[in-house]
Amino acid sequence: MVSEHAAAQVLVASNRGPVTYTLSEDGSLDARRGGGGLVSGLSAIGSEAEALWVCAALGDGDREAVRRGVGEPGVLMLDIDEAVHSDAYNGIANSVLWFVHHMLYQTPLEPVFDKEFRRQWASYETYNRAFAEALAAQAAEGAAVLVQDYHLALVPGMLRELRPDLRIGHFSHTPWAPVDYFRMLPDDIAEQLLRGLLGADRTCFLTRRWADAFVSCCTELLGGTGGTAIGVHGLGADADFLRKRAHRPDVDERLAALREQIGPGRKTIVRVDRTELSKNIVRGLLAYRQLLETRPEWRERVVHVAFAYPSRQDLAVYRDYTVEVQRVADEINSAYGTEGWTPVVLHVKDDFARSLAAYRLADVALVNPIRDGMNLVAKEIPLVSEAGCALVLSREAGAHEELGEDAVTVNPYDVSGTADALHAALTMPDDERSRHTERLATAATALPPQKWFLDQLRALREGA
Ligand SMILES: O=P(O)(O)OC[C@H]1O[C@@H](O)[C@H](O)[C@@H](O)[C@@H]1O
């Protein structure tokens, strides 16, 4: 049933919304706007239509904002019971679905789908239902709803039942698991996930590879995809925003500090990631250590600038990984460092301006994920680097489909191969490097976030 107040023509649903609130000691609430492709993509429809972004209240600040009725126009935050949210987000989305699609399990011991898993799954259903009900209540007749990611995989099917009049799209920002890996999930859960997504009119992926994997799962488990259209929409970097933002005074300041820390005349290998298991930061460090060990000519002449920002710290496995990243970086610095040279400059505190400063400095960009839906850093560094940079890129990143020809490709598990790739990137002749950088920058900007969003909306409305 469409409620009297339902007015939104375009709705987006995601776990993390465009704004987060923090509660200050004096009791005031500070709003911070998030970055990322989805936020800039959505800005494209602000003027076009009555738009609403439905997201979850994530911390104390967000929950307080909901309680006080504080909010941004066009954003609806759902205050879902904290324990339910934690089971759904930490338990199912991040510890099961993320692991399945990124193939992160250490399979002799994991996964274990037991009673506890079933309990958390019930919370995942409740959390998805809360979104489906909110969307059903807010959407105008025939509105377009764009549901984002693995957190909300059941929403399309639930919403379809509540509101058959809507045009529903789903977008997976992650890879999709190969069918044999996906089938580790209990059969009923695997089917429920697929049917949830097939409740959409269109279900979309970042690359053809992930879309094909999804179709294989549907074919094998359900006999097909029914009437659901499968879309592929690559996402690129927001060049205008990045280039402007990278030359603001706060970035200049950090650039000067970083230059000082690195020392004159040295080359840089730059990586910027969340400290995320799939990003493969430790093997990147091991490859760098092997480079220093086997090609001593690089000692004192190169610095690995690694920014690894905290992520999902509620999960022990992420906390342990963060400790391991720090341990290996320290080990390299004590083994090879000299008085005037710190081989690894590792920062773990999130600072966007400092990331952009590192992008500007990059001679080599290291992007070696185990698996990644796209990886925007691979697209952003070549756009911003001042001297042009050589890109060492994992063949398992979605971005490899678009950038592979101009990158030095690595198998993310092959540490020796990655050490060789770093050497090749560091010694790439200038003319070759600038030719690649130029082509990388063109490819990186071919699919700006606003186009990504509007293309999906158009296709959804046209029934393509
Ligand atoms: O758990 P977080 O910090 O909200 O991050 C979630 C997001 O992390 C990003 O890295 C993924 O590309 C998205 O698919 C995902 O939604």
Side-chain angles (χ1 to χ4, degrees):
M1 251 267 296
V2 185
S3 94
E4 247 182 82
H5 304 291
Q9 296 290 349
V10 181
L11 299 94
V12 168
S14 62
N15 175 64
R16 195 177 288 280
V19 191
T20 40
Y21 293 89
T22 40
L23 192 56
S24 317
E25 274 181 15
D26 67 0
S28 63
L29 283 170
D30 296 321
R32 221 185 74 194
R33 229 180 148 70
L38 197 55
V39 180
S40 36
L42 192 76
S43 66
I45 59 159
S47 52
E48 190 209 321
E50 191 68 41
L52 184 70
W53 191 325
V54 180
C55 56
L58 293 181
D60 292 346
D62 285 0
R63 288 178 198 284
E64 187 57 24
V66 175
R67 256 168 243 136
R68 290 187 200 173
V70 172
E72 297 264 313
V75 179
L76 174 64
M77 261 188 188
L78 305 180
D79 189 359
I80 296 164
D81 177 82
E82 216 172 321
V84 169
H85 184 268
S86 173
D87 285 346
Y89 173 72
N90 289 315
I92 299 297
N94 289 341
S95 301
V96 177
L97 302 181
W98 184 269
F99 273 59
V100 169
H101 291 312
H102 291 85
M103 301 170 70
L104 291 174
Y105 284 124
Q106 301 191 354
T107 45
L109 295 176
E110 310 170 300
V112 175
F113 297 122
D114 57 2
K115 241 172 58 212
E116 174 61 4
F117 164 76
R118 292 283 165 177
R119 192 190 62 72
Q120 291 183 333
W121 183 259
S123 294
Y124 183 76
E125 290 175 317
T126 305
Y127 155 86
N128 272 252
R129 187 158 299 285
F131 271 81
E133 283 170 358
L135 291 163
Q138 298 293 331
E141 182 76 27
V145 185
L146 293 124
V147 181
Q148 309 298 313
D149 242 341
Y150 54 98
H151 312 96
L152 302 178
L154 305 181
V155 167
M158 291 172 169
L159 187 55
R160 167 74 59 229
E161 277 186 18
L162 295 168
R163 291 286 305 273
D165 60 297
L166 300 177
R167 299 292 299 163
I168 304 172
H170 186 276
F171 198 94
S172 291
H173 295 258
T174 59
W176 191 271
V179 63
D180 287 349
Y181 207 90
F182 188 72
R183 295 204 77 169
M184 277 197 286
L185 290 165
D187 289 354
D188 60 320
I189 301 292
E191 280 188 25
Q192 209 184 327
L193 283 165
L194 296 176
R195 289 194 199 285
L197 293 182
L198 294 178
D201 295 285
R202 296 185 84 236
T203 181
C204 301
F205 298 87
L206 284 162
T207 68
R208 170 59 47 203
R209 181 180 176 192
W210 313 140
D212 287 350
F214 173 73
V215 172
S216 303
C217 289
C218 293
T219 309
E220 190 143 328
L221 276 79
L222 306 177
T225 51
T228 299
I230 309 297
V232 175
H233 297 271
L235 176 61
D238 192 343
D240 294 343
F241 164 76
L242 273 176
R243 286 192 174 126
K244 273 190 214 129
R245 182 67 189 83
H247 288 88
R248 293 236 304 251
D250 57 343
V251 179
D252 290 339
E253 234 173 72
R254 285 161 177 80
L255 185 66
L258 265 179
R259 280 211 170 102
E260 174 107 23
Q261 209 173 355
I262 290 164
R266 293 194 173 117
K267 297 242 184 208
T268 56
I269 299 170
V270 170
R271 75 173 307 140
V272 176
D273 306 275
R274 293 185 295 109
T275 307
E276 159 59 52
L277 312 176
S278 62
K279 301 294 182 190
N280 209 20
I281 303 168
V282 171
R283 283 196 194 83
L285 286 164
L286 297 178
Y288 178 65
R289 181 168 74 188
Q290 187 165 315
L291 176 82
L292 298 179
E293 194 183 314
T294 56
R295 299 183 195 267
E297 70 269 24
W298 283 115
R299 295 183 197 162
E300 307 257 7
R301 288 182 50 223
V302 65
V303 171
H304 185 13
V305 177
F307 293 170
Y309 300 140
S311 179
R312 304 182 188 165
Q313 292 291 300
D314 286 345
L315 299 180
V317 62
Y318 279 73
R319 294 196 298 274
D320 294 348
Y321 189 68
T322 307
V323 170
E324 183 61 5
V325 167
Q326 279 169 310
R327 191 190 65 74
V328 178
D330 288 347
E331 211 176 75
I332 297 171
N333 284 339
S334 16
Y336 293 99
T338 60
E339 199 163 312
W341 173 57
T342 309
V344 182
V345 170
L346 174 72
H347 282 294
V348 293
K349 189 169 175 299
D350 195 352
D351 182 339
F352 184 51
R354 196 178 47 206
S355 301
L356 292 173
Y359 285 9
R360 279 174 63 181
L361 272 178
D363 294 303
V364 173
L366 175 58
V367 180
N368 65 327
I370 289 173
R371 251 166 106 78
D372 210 334
M374 174 57 70
N375 198 299
L376 282 182
V377 174
K379 296 187 168 183
E380 291 172 353
I381 301 186
L383 270 180
V384 175
S385 72
E386 288 182 355
C389 74
L391 174 64
V392 174
L393 182 60
S394 163
R395 67 183 187 200
E396 304 302 327
H400 194 265
E401 269 183 29
E402 293 158 49
L403 308 181
E405 276 185 21
D406 288 290
V408 185
T409 298
V410 290
N411 164 353
Y413 304 100
D414 183 355
V415 168
S416 297
T418 306
D420 291 343
L422 290 175
H423 176 71
L426 285 164
T427 51
M428 189 180 283
D430 286 351
D431 58 336
E432 194 182 328
R433 198 176 61 175
S434 37
R435 203 175 56 243
H436 285 312
T437 307
E438 207 172 297
R439 289 166 43 146
L440 288 168
T442 308
T445 50
L447 302 159
Q450 299 198 343
K451 179 170 161 37
W452 171 80
F453 190 83
L454 292 176
D455 281 355
Q456 283 178 70
L457 189 57
R458 195 173 316 113
L460 184 59
R461 283 179 168 153
E462 288 169 2

